C-alpha cells in the first residue's frame, strides 16, 4: 500500500477487488490526495458510496465513518445525514454514472436544488459494468455493449449538444468539474475546491473499464490502446464523430453563491423559534 | 394532562414531538398530508426540521440519513407512497437504523378512492421490502388517542430494536376528530406507559453481534466511531461479505431480535371473551368499533359472540387464536388478508367479512353473527359486500 | 529538470495488479516487464532504472491500486525544484 492508503484506507479492502487495469483506483487516489492537501483527517469526513463498481470498490475503504447507500439514492441519505452532522463535517460520496445519471438523477438534481453540503464524485466508466457491461446514459453513441449488441441508438447525456453538467448547473450546483482519471494535480485541485465548497459540488471523472467497455465496446483488451482512446477523449484528436470530446477542468464555479441547505434551515429554524416564542 | 380535540394526524404529530422526533421528511398524499402539514408547523418551533422530499423514496431515505446521524426521524404517507418506501425500508432493516413510518391506508389498488379508508397493506407491512430474512414491527391504532400514544411507542420500539416501525392506520383514524389527552410531564407520560429513550451512540466500529439482543445502540455516523453500515450483508465490523454463513448470522439477528422479544410488542384488546364465546370477530383499526357494537347487540339477543382488536399486527399474535372458536375477520378490503393469518394461527378455516372504502353496517355484522351461530356462513352480497 | 537519481521508486509487489499504466506513462523508462508473478498471479513490472526517475509522478497518478510511492531519496537530497 502507498502512503495515502496507509494513512486513509482500511487495509482489509486495499488493494480493491477491481479488475486489473480498472481506472477507478485512479479516481479514488485523487480524492485522497485532495483530502490530504486540504489537511483533512479521518474524523473530518463521512464517506458515502453508491452501488456498482464505484460503490463496491470504495465502500468501507475509508478509515473513518462511512456508509453505502442504495442505488441512486445515496444523495437522499446524505441530505438527511447533512442535517444531523455539524457543518464542518464533510460528506463525500463516490458514485457511478448509473447512480448519478441513471436511477439517481432526480435525487441528484433535488440535492443540487437544495444546495446540500455534499461533494459527489461521479466515477464514470461509461455504463453498467459491474452487471456485465450494459450501456449507460453516458455511453458514447453507436457503441456495441452487452445490452446494445447491434450498436447503441439510445441517445446519451454527453453528445449531440447535450451535457448533463448543464442540467446540474441549472439545478443550482455550486461547483462542477470534469476530468479524466489519468490526470494529475489539476484533477486534485478541482476535487479540493469541490470539497471546500460549503454547498453541492460534483466532479465528473471518466475512467476506463477494461473488462467490459474495453473488450466489448472498444473491441480490445490492449491496455495501451484503451489508455490512448480515453486520453483522446480529452484532447479532441479522436476524429471519430461517434466519440465524444470533453474539456477537462472546472465546468461551473459559483462557490458560495447560494446558502447551504442545512445551514440555512438551521438558521431559519432558530430565528423562527426566537420570533415565535421569544421567552423560550 | 392536556385535553385536546383534533384529528389522528394531529395526534401523530404530538406523539412524534413528545418522542423527540427532530426530523420529518414527507411527500404530500391524501389522507396523510395533514401529518406533514402539522409537522411543518409544529416541528420548527421545537427546533426540529421539516423537509419535503421529491418523492416518498427520497423522504424515507432522508429520514434514515438523519437517523444515521443521530436524530429521531419520521415519515408518513398512504398506500401509494408506502410502496415507494420498499427500497429504503430494506436499507433501514439491514443496517438496523431506527425510523418511524406512518401509513394512513386508503382504498386501492393504485389511486383507488383517495379519501376513503382501506386496509390493503396488512401483508405489505409484514413484507415491506424484498429479500426476506427479516421480521417487522407494525402497530395499528384504533383511535385518535392511540394514534398519539402508539406514535410515542413506535419511536421507543424503533430505538430498542434498531429497526423501522410502521404504524398501520386507516383514513378514519387519521382524519377522524376525537378528544385525546397528552401528558404534560414525565409522571403523566409514565402513567400512560409512554417514555422516550434517548438515542445512545455506539462507540466501537464492531456493532453487529450475531445474537437476538435488543437495546443495542445503533450505528451513528459523524461521531468519529469509525462506524460503517451498508446495504450489503455485513461482517461484525461492517465489511461487505458474500459468505453465506455470515448472512445466516445477519438474518438470524434481524429475525430473532424481534421474534424473541414479542412480549414487548404484542398488544390487543378483547371484548366479551370471558365466557369463551362460540363466535369471535377479529379486526384492527376503525372497523373494530362496528364489530364491538355488533357483538354487544348479539349478546343482547342471547348469541355467544366476542371480539378481538389487534393493536399490534406484526409479529402476528398466534397465541390469541389457540382457542377453538369460529373466527371471522372484519376488514376494509374485499379479498381478505387478516383472515389468512387467523386461519394459519388457528389451524382451522376462518370466515371473512369485507367491505371496501366504507365501514360495514353493525346490523350486517349482527346478521352474519346470527348466521354463524346457526352454522351458516356469513352471506356474501358480492359487489356490495364480500363475505365467506 | 529535476535531478535524476534523487528519487526512490518503491512498488508494492503483492498489491500490484500489473495494469501496465506506470510503464506506459513513464517518460524515462524506469519500469520494465517484470520477471516474477505475485501471489495473485500478476506479472509485476520491474523498477529497472530507478536512477532515471525525475519525480514527475505520472506513474503515481495513474496507478489504480495504491502500490506505488515515489519519494525523494535521502542520498539525492537536492532541491525539490531545480528550474
Amino acid at each position: 500500500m502507498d502512503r495515502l492508503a496507509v494513512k486513509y484506507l482500511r487495509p482489509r479492502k486495499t488493494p480493491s477487488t477491481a479488475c486489473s487495469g480498472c481506472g477507478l483506483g485512479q479516481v479514488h487516489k485523487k480524492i485522497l490526495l485532495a483530502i490530504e492537501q486540504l489537511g483533512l483527517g479521518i474524523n473530518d469526513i463521512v464517506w458515502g458510496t453508491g452501488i456498482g463498481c464505484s460503490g463496491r470498490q470504495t465502500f468501507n475503504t475509508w478509515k473513518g465513518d462511512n456508509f453505502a447507500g442504495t442505488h441512486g439514492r445515496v444523495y437522499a441519505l446524505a441530505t438527511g445525514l447533512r442535517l444531523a452532522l455539524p457543518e464542518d463535517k464533510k460528506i463525500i460520496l463516490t458514485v457511478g454514472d448509473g447512480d448519478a445519471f441513471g436511477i439517481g438523477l432526480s435525487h441528484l438534481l433535488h440535492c443540487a436544488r437544495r444546495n446540500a453540503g455534499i461533494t459527489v464524485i461521479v466515477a464514470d466508466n461509461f455504463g453498467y459494468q459491474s452487471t456485465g457491461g450494459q450501456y449507460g446514459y453516458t455511453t458514447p453513441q453507436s457503441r456495441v455493449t452487452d445490452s446494445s449488441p447491434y450498436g447503441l441508438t439510445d441517445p446519451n447525456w454527453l453528445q449531440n449538444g447535450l451535457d448533463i453538467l448543464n442540467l446540474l448547473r441549472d439545478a443550482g450546483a455550486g461547483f462542477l468539474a470534469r476530468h479524466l482519471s489519468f490526470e494529475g494535480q489539476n484533477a486534485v485541485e478541482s476535487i479540493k475546491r469541490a470539497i471546500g465548497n460549503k454547498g453541492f459540488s460534483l466532479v465528473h471523472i471518466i475512467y476506463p473499464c477494461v473488462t467490459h467497455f474495453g473488450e466489448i465496446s472498444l473491441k480490445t483488451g490492449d491496455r495501451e490502446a484503451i489508455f490512448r482512446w480515453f486520453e483522446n477523449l480529452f484532447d479532441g484528436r479522436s476524429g471519430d464523430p461517434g466519440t465524444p470530446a470533453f474539456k477537462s477542468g472546472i465546468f461551473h464555479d459559483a462557490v458560495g453563491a447560494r446558502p447551504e441547505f442545512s445551514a440555512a434551515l438551521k438558521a431559519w429554524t432558530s430565528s423562527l423559534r426566537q420570533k415565535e416564542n421569544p421567552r423560550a | 394532562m392536556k385535553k385536546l380535540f383534533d384529528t389522528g394526524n394531529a395526534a401523530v404529530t404530538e406523539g412524534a414531538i413528545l418522542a423527540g422526533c427532530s426530523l420529518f421528511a414527507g411527500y404530500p398524499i391524501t389522507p396523510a398530508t395533514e401529518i406533514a402539514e402539522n409537522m411543518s408547523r409544529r416541528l420548527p418551533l421545537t427546533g426540529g426540521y421539516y423537509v419535503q422530499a421529491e418523492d416518498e423514496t427520497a423522504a424515507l431515505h432522508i429520514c434514515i440519513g438523519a437517523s444515521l446521524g443521530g436524530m429521531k426521524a419520521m415519515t408518513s404517507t398512504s398506500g401509494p407512497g408506502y410502496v415507494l418506501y420498499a427500497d429504503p425500508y430494506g436499507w433501514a432493516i439491514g443496517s438496523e437504523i431506527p425510523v418511524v413510518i406512518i401509513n394512513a391506508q386508503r382504498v386501492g389498488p393504485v389511486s383507488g378512492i383517495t379519501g376513503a379508508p382501506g386496509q390493503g397493506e396488512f401483508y405489505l407491512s409484514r413484507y415491506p421490502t424484498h429479500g426476506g430474512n427479516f421480521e417487522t414491527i407494525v402497530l395499528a391504532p384504533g383511535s385518535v388517542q392511540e394514534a398519539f400514544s402508539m406514535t410515542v411507542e413506535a419511536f421507543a420500539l424503533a430505538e430498542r430494536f434498531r429497526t423501522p416501525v410502521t404504524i398501520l392506520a386507516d383514513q378514519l383514524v387519521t382524519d377522524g376528530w376525537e378528544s385525546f389527552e397528552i401528558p404534560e410531564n414525565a409522571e403523566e407520560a409514565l402513567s400512560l406507559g409512554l417514555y422516550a429513550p434517548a438515542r445512545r451512540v455506539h462507540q466501537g466500529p464492531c456493532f453487529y453481534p450475531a445474537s437476538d439482543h435488543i437495546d443495542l445502540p445503533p450505528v451513528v455516523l459523524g461521531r468519529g466511531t469509525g462506524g460503517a453500515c451498508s446495504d450489503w450483508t455485513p461482517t461484525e465490523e461492517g465489511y461487505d461479505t458474500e459468505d453465506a454463513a455470515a448472512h445466516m448470522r445477519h438474518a438470524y439477528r434481524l429475525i430473532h431480535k424481534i421474534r424473541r422479544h414479542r412480549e414487548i410488542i404484542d398488544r390487543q384488546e378483547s371484548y366479551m371473551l370471558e365466557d369463551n364465546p362460540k363466535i369471535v370477530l377479529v379486526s384492527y383499526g376503525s372497523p373494530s368499533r362496528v364489530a364491538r357494537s355488533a357483538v354487544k347487540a348479539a349478546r343482547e339477543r342471547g348469541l355467544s359472540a366476542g371480539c378481538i382488536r389487534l393493536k399490534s399486527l406484526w409479529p402476528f399474535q398466534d397465541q390469541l387464536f389457540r382457542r377453538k372458536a369460529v373466527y371471522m375477520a372484519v376488514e376494509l378490503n374485499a379479498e381478505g388478508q387478516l383472515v389468512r393469518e387467523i386461519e394459519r394461527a388457528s389451524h382451522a378455516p376462518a370466515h371473512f367479512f369485507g367491505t371496501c372504502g366504507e365501514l360495514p353496517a353493525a346490523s350486517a355484522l349482527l346478521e352474519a353473527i346470527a348466521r354463524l351461530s346457526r352454522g351458516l356462513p356469513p352471506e356474501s352480497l358480492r359487489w356490495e359486500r364480500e363475505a365467506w | 529538470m529535476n535531478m535524476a537519481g534523487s528519487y526512490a521508486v518503491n512498488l508494492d509487489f503483492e498489491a500490484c495488479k500489473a495494469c501496465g499504466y506506470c510503464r506506459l506513462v513513464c517518460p524515462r523508462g524506469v519500469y520494465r516487464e517484470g520477471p516474477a508473478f505475485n501471489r495473485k498471479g500478476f506479472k509485476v513490472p520491474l523498477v529497472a532504472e530507478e536512477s532515471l526517475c525525475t519525480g514527475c509522478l505520472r506513474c503515481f497518478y495513474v496507478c489504480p491500486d495504491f502500490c506505488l510511492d515515489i519519494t525523494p531519496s535521502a542520498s539525492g537530497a537536492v532541491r525539490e525544484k531545480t528550474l
Side-chain angles (χ1 to χ4, degrees), chain B residues 3 12 16 21 33 48 50 70 81 89 98 125 145 159 206 223-224 247 263 290 297-298 301-303 326 331:
Chain B
K3 220 158 176 35
V12 162
C21 171
T33 310
Y50 169 82
Y89 207 116
S125 65
Q145 180 67 53
E159 290 294 323
C206 309
R223 311 274 174 93
H247 191 81
E263 72 289 352
V290 186
R301 287 165 178 68
L303 297 173
V326 174
E331 303 179 54

Side-chain angles (χ1 to χ4, degrees), chain B residues 84-134:
Chain B
L84 291 180
Y85 286 158
D87 181 54
Y89 207 116
W91 199 91
I93 288 176
S95 298
E96 301 189 81
I97 301 296
V99 65
V100 171
I101 293 162
I102 318 284
N103 178 4
Q105 298 172 96
R106 76 190 202 194
V107 178
V110 200
S111 296
I113 306 174
T114 313
Q119 291 183 324
E121 282 97 80
F122 173 76
Y123 273 118
L124 186 58
S125 65
R126 167 62 184 85
Y127 297 103
T129 189
H130 64 282
N133 299 327
F134 59 82

Side-chain angles (χ1 to χ4, degrees), chain B residues 281-320:
Chain B
L281 269 53
V282 188
S283 60
Y284 69 94
S286 53
S288 311
R289 300 178 184 213
V290 186
R292 195 184 174 96
S293 313
V295 162
K296 193 155 171 290
R299 284 284 179 164
E300 281 151 12
R301 287 165 178 68
L303 297 173
S304 167
C307 59
I308 297 173
R309 176 167 73 92
L310 299 174
K311 292 161 68 171
S312 68
L313 300 181
W314 303 103
F316 194 71
Q317 299 176 75
D318 291 11
Q319 70 277 11
L320 300 179

Side-chain angles (χ1 to χ4, degrees), chain C:
Chain C
M1 267 305 291
N2 294 326
M3 282 284 287
S6 50
Y7 287 90
V9 177
N10 33 62
L11 172 56
D12 181 339
F13 182 78
E14 286 307 331
C16 172
K17 292 179 188 163
C19 70
Y21 291 139
C22 53
R23 201 162 141 235
L24 196 62
V25 299
C26 175
R28 302 301 301 270
V30 169
Y31 304 94
R32 265 204 226 106
E33 176 92 15
F37 292 86
N38 65 14
R39 269 201 301 278
K40 291 204 190 92
F42 290 113
K43 200 158 188 275
V44 179
L46 183 69
V47 181
E49 303 293 343
E50 185 177 54
S51 59
L52 297 179
C53 174
T54 63
C56 76
L57 294 182
R58 281 196 197 158
C59 59
F60 175 73
Y61 283 125
V62 293
C63 169
D65 295 302
F66 298 99
C67 45
L68 248 182
D69 260 323
I70 312 296
T71 49
S73 60
S75 61
V78 295
R79 292 172 309 287
E80 183 65 44
K81 291 267 177 301
T82 53
L83 280 187

Side-chain angles (χ1 to χ4, degrees), chain A residues 10 12-13 51 56 59-60 65-70 73 76-77 80-81 83 85 89 107 110 114 266 273 276, chain B residues 23 44-45 49 54-55 61-62 65-66 91 221-224 226-232 237-240 242:
Chain A
R10 296 181 189 222
R12 186 152 162 196
K13 290 290 293 269
I51 294 295
R56 171 78 73 173
F59 166 61
N60 216 7
D65 296 0
N66 76 104
F67 65 102
T70 39
R73 331 283 183 191
L77 275 176
L81 187 61
L83 270 171
L85 295 184
K89 196 78 75 175
H107 304 301
H110 282 278
R114 293 191 192 101
K266 287 174 182 172
R273 293 186 78 190
E276 288 300 315
Chain B
L23 177 96
L45 300 184
Y49 308 112
E54 53 269 25
D55 56 39
H61 271 100
I62 290 170
W91 199 91
L221 298 184
R223 311 274 174 93
C229 61
S230 77
D231 44 353
W232 286 297
E237 301 85 30
Y239 287 103
D240 48 318
E242 306 208 337

